[in-house]
mmCIF file of all heavy atoms in Angstrom:
data_model
loop_
_atom_site.group_PDB
_atom_site.id
_atom_site.type_symbol
_atom_site.label_atom_id
_atom_site.label_comp_id
_atom_site.label_asym_id
_atom_site.label_seq_id
_atom_site.Cartn_x
_atom_site.Cartn_y
_atom_site.Cartn_z
ATOM 1 N N ALA A 44 2.202 41.885 -8.097
ATOM 2 C CA ALA A 44 1.638 43.147 -8.309
ATOM 3 C C ALA A 44 1.940 43.597 -9.644
ATOM 4 O O ALA A 44 3.146 43.814 -9.901
ATOM 5 C CB ALA A 44 1.849 44.174 -7.275
ATOM 6 N N VAL A 45 0.996 43.831 -10.492
ATOM 7 C CA VAL A 45 1.298 44.325 -11.913
ATOM 8 C C VAL A 45 0.469 45.481 -12.351
ATOM 9 O O VAL A 45 -0.780 45.443 -12.175
ATOM 10 C CB VAL A 45 1.176 43.159 -12.890
ATOM 11 C CG1 VAL A 45 1.372 43.616 -14.357
ATOM 12 C CG2 VAL A 45 1.955 42.075 -12.528
ATOM 13 N N VAL A 46 1.046 46.568 -12.655
ATOM 14 C CA VAL A 46 0.294 47.733 -13.155
ATOM 15 C C VAL A 46 0.095 47.765 -14.651
ATOM 16 O O VAL A 46 1.191 47.418 -15.342
ATOM 17 C CB VAL A 46 1.028 48.949 -12.604
ATOM 18 C CG1 VAL A 46 0.494 50.283 -13.224
ATOM 19 C CG2 VAL A 46 0.910 49.218 -11.076
ATOM 20 N N ASP A 47 -1.015 48.128 -15.064
ATOM 21 C CA ASP A 47 -1.276 48.427 -16.520
ATOM 22 C C ASP A 47 -1.500 49.901 -16.583
ATOM 23 O O ASP A 47 -2.602 50.381 -16.124
ATOM 24 C CB ASP A 47 -2.561 47.589 -16.992
ATOM 25 C CG ASP A 47 -2.769 47.748 -18.495
ATOM 26 O OD1 ASP A 47 -2.508 48.984 -18.924
ATOM 27 O OD2 ASP A 47 -3.275 46.796 -19.098
ATOM 28 N N LEU A 48 -0.522 50.614 -17.030
ATOM 29 C CA LEU A 48 -0.625 52.126 -17.160
ATOM 30 C C LEU A 48 -1.791 52.597 -17.967
ATOM 31 O O LEU A 48 -2.440 53.522 -17.668
ATOM 32 C CB LEU A 48 0.701 52.720 -17.587
ATOM 33 C CG LEU A 48 1.750 52.936 -16.601
ATOM 34 C CD1 LEU A 48 3.067 53.447 -17.273
ATOM 35 C CD2 LEU A 48 1.252 53.920 -15.535
ATOM 36 N N ASP A 49 -1.998 51.805 -19.249
ATOM 37 C CA ASP A 49 -3.033 52.249 -20.099
ATOM 38 C C ASP A 49 -4.467 52.182 -19.547
ATOM 39 O O ASP A 49 -5.310 53.073 -19.800
ATOM 40 C CB ASP A 49 -2.966 51.416 -21.361
ATOM 41 C CG ASP A 49 -1.741 51.620 -22.193
ATOM 42 O OD1 ASP A 49 -1.130 52.698 -22.177
ATOM 43 O OD2 ASP A 49 -1.346 50.690 -22.863
ATOM 44 N N LYS A 50 -4.639 51.163 -18.683
ATOM 45 C CA LYS A 50 -5.927 50.904 -18.003
ATOM 46 C C LYS A 50 -5.997 51.579 -16.691
ATOM 47 O O LYS A 50 -7.105 51.714 -16.018
ATOM 48 C CB LYS A 50 -6.229 49.411 -17.902
ATOM 49 C CG LYS A 50 -6.366 48.718 -19.145
ATOM 50 C CD LYS A 50 -6.731 47.242 -18.997
ATOM 51 C CE LYS A 50 -6.964 46.492 -20.136
ATOM 52 N NZ LYS A 50 -7.228 45.025 -20.047
ATOM 53 N N LYS A 51 -4.864 52.141 -16.184
ATOM 54 C CA LYS A 51 -4.766 52.562 -14.839
ATOM 55 C C LYS A 51 -5.257 51.586 -13.805
ATOM 56 O O LYS A 51 -6.048 51.867 -12.889
ATOM 57 C CB LYS A 51 -5.503 54.005 -14.784
ATOM 58 C CG LYS A 51 -4.924 55.018 -15.659
ATOM 59 C CD LYS A 51 -5.477 56.204 -15.391
ATOM 60 C CE LYS A 51 -4.891 57.480 -16.360
ATOM 61 N NZ LYS A 51 -3.594 57.587 -16.341
ATOM 62 N N GLU A 52 -4.736 50.341 -13.843
ATOM 63 C CA GLU A 52 -5.139 49.294 -12.995
ATOM 64 C C GLU A 52 -3.970 48.610 -12.356
ATOM 65 O O GLU A 52 -2.878 48.523 -12.916
ATOM 66 C CB GLU A 52 -5.889 48.205 -13.763
ATOM 67 C CG GLU A 52 -7.216 48.661 -14.284
ATOM 68 C CD GLU A 52 -7.949 47.665 -15.033
ATOM 69 O OE1 GLU A 52 -7.376 46.541 -15.484
ATOM 70 O OE2 GLU A 52 -9.193 47.674 -15.270
ATOM 71 N N LEU A 53 -4.209 48.141 -11.126
ATOM 72 C CA LEU A 53 -3.229 47.355 -10.323
ATOM 73 C C LEU A 53 -3.796 46.041 -10.139
ATOM 74 O O LEU A 53 -4.814 45.901 -9.534
ATOM 75 C CB LEU A 53 -2.948 48.074 -9.041
ATOM 76 C CG LEU A 53 -2.121 47.325 -7.948
ATOM 77 C CD1 LEU A 53 -0.755 46.961 -8.503
ATOM 78 C CD2 LEU A 53 -2.018 48.052 -6.662
ATOM 79 N N ALA A 54 -3.164 45.032 -10.785
ATOM 80 C CA ALA A 54 -3.661 43.515 -10.507
ATOM 81 C C ALA A 54 -2.865 42.973 -9.523
ATOM 82 O O ALA A 54 -1.527 43.115 -9.509
ATOM 83 C CB ALA A 54 -3.525 42.817 -11.875
ATOM 84 N N ILE A 55 -3.437 42.396 -8.510
ATOM 85 C CA ILE A 55 -2.775 41.824 -7.347
ATOM 86 C C ILE A 55 -3.169 40.486 -7.131
ATOM 87 O O ILE A 55 -4.288 40.106 -7.181
ATOM 88 C CB ILE A 55 -3.224 42.601 -6.052
ATOM 89 C CG1 ILE A 55 -2.997 44.081 -6.220
ATOM 90 C CG2 ILE A 55 -2.585 41.983 -4.838
ATOM 91 C CD1 ILE A 55 -2.172 44.764 -5.176
ATOM 92 N N THR A 56 -2.221 39.660 -6.790
ATOM 93 C CA THR A 56 -2.464 38.140 -6.393
ATOM 94 C C THR A 56 -1.866 38.002 -4.962
ATOM 95 O O THR A 56 -0.578 38.492 -4.826
ATOM 96 C CB THR A 56 -1.757 37.215 -7.342
ATOM 97 O OG1 THR A 56 -2.194 37.489 -8.631
ATOM 98 C CG2 THR A 56 -2.066 35.857 -6.974
ATOM 99 N N PHE A 57 -2.518 37.558 -4.023
ATOM 100 C CA PHE A 57 -2.076 37.352 -2.751
ATOM 101 C C PHE A 57 -2.700 36.099 -2.082
ATOM 102 O O PHE A 57 -3.777 35.629 -2.597
ATOM 103 C CB PHE A 57 -2.252 38.565 -1.742
ATOM 104 C CG PHE A 57 -3.566 39.179 -1.667
ATOM 105 C CD1 PHE A 57 -4.486 38.728 -0.717
ATOM 106 C CD2 PHE A 57 -3.891 40.132 -2.534
ATOM 107 C CE1 PHE A 57 -5.689 39.209 -0.732
ATOM 108 C CE2 PHE A 57 -5.306 40.734 -2.468
ATOM 109 C CZ PHE A 57 -6.113 40.235 -1.522
ATOM 110 N N ASN A 58 -2.070 35.626 -1.123
ATOM 111 C CA ASN A 58 -2.670 34.394 -0.384
ATOM 112 C C ASN A 58 -3.912 34.787 0.403
ATOM 113 O O ASN A 58 -3.805 35.768 1.126
ATOM 114 C CB ASN A 58 -1.570 33.691 0.502
ATOM 115 C CG ASN A 58 -0.592 33.028 -0.304
ATOM 116 O OD1 ASN A 58 -0.907 32.451 -1.315
ATOM 117 N ND2 ASN A 58 0.678 33.155 0.187
ATOM 118 N N GLU A 59 -4.883 34.003 0.325
ATOM 119 C CA GLU A 59 -6.096 34.204 1.152
ATOM 120 C C GLU A 59 -5.701 34.169 2.547
ATOM 121 O O GLU A 59 -4.903 33.366 3.061
ATOM 122 C CB GLU A 59 -7.075 33.229 0.838
ATOM 123 C CG GLU A 59 -8.466 33.609 1.439
ATOM 124 C CD GLU A 59 -9.502 32.590 0.849
ATOM 125 O OE1 GLU A 59 -9.324 32.065 -0.242
ATOM 126 O OE2 GLU A 59 -10.646 32.547 1.555
ATOM 127 N N GLY A 60 -6.294 35.104 3.377
ATOM 128 C CA GLY A 60 -6.061 35.130 4.866
ATOM 129 C C GLY A 60 -4.914 36.118 5.125
ATOM 130 O O GLY A 60 -4.490 36.270 6.248
ATOM 131 N N GLY A 61 -4.274 36.635 4.148
ATOM 132 C CA GLY A 61 -3.090 37.397 4.286
ATOM 133 C C GLY A 61 -3.720 38.933 4.206
ATOM 134 O O GLY A 61 -4.667 39.315 4.850
ATOM 135 N N SER A 62 -2.884 39.727 3.385
ATOM 136 C CA SER A 62 -3.304 41.171 3.248
ATOM 137 C C SER A 62 -4.705 41.244 2.638
ATOM 138 O O SER A 62 -5.102 40.468 1.827
ATOM 139 C CB SER A 62 -2.256 41.942 2.393
ATOM 140 O OG SER A 62 -0.954 41.852 2.904
ATOM 141 N N THR A 63 -5.456 42.320 3.113
ATOM 142 C CA THR A 63 -6.745 42.516 2.552
ATOM 143 C C THR A 63 -6.627 43.600 1.508
ATOM 144 O O THR A 63 -5.608 44.315 1.315
ATOM 145 C CB THR A 63 -7.759 43.092 3.602
ATOM 146 O OG1 THR A 63 -7.211 44.445 4.007
ATOM 147 C CG2 THR A 63 -7.787 42.191 4.804
ATOM 148 N N VAL A 64 -7.679 43.690 0.595
ATOM 149 C CA VAL A 64 -7.650 44.738 -0.386
ATOM 150 C C VAL A 64 -7.624 46.148 0.190
ATOM 151 O O VAL A 64 -6.835 46.969 -0.285
ATOM 152 C CB VAL A 64 -8.985 44.632 -1.203
ATOM 153 C CG1 VAL A 64 -9.124 45.788 -2.175
ATOM 154 C CG2 VAL A 64 -9.002 43.240 -1.900
#
Side-chain angles (χ1 to χ4, degrees):
V45 179
V46 166
D47 183 325
L48 278 176
D49 293 331
K50 293 181 181 179
K51 298 189 182 305
E52 292 179 343
L53 169 62
I55 304 232
T56 304
F57 52 90
N58 288 325
E59 192 171 340
S62 299
T63 65
V64 174

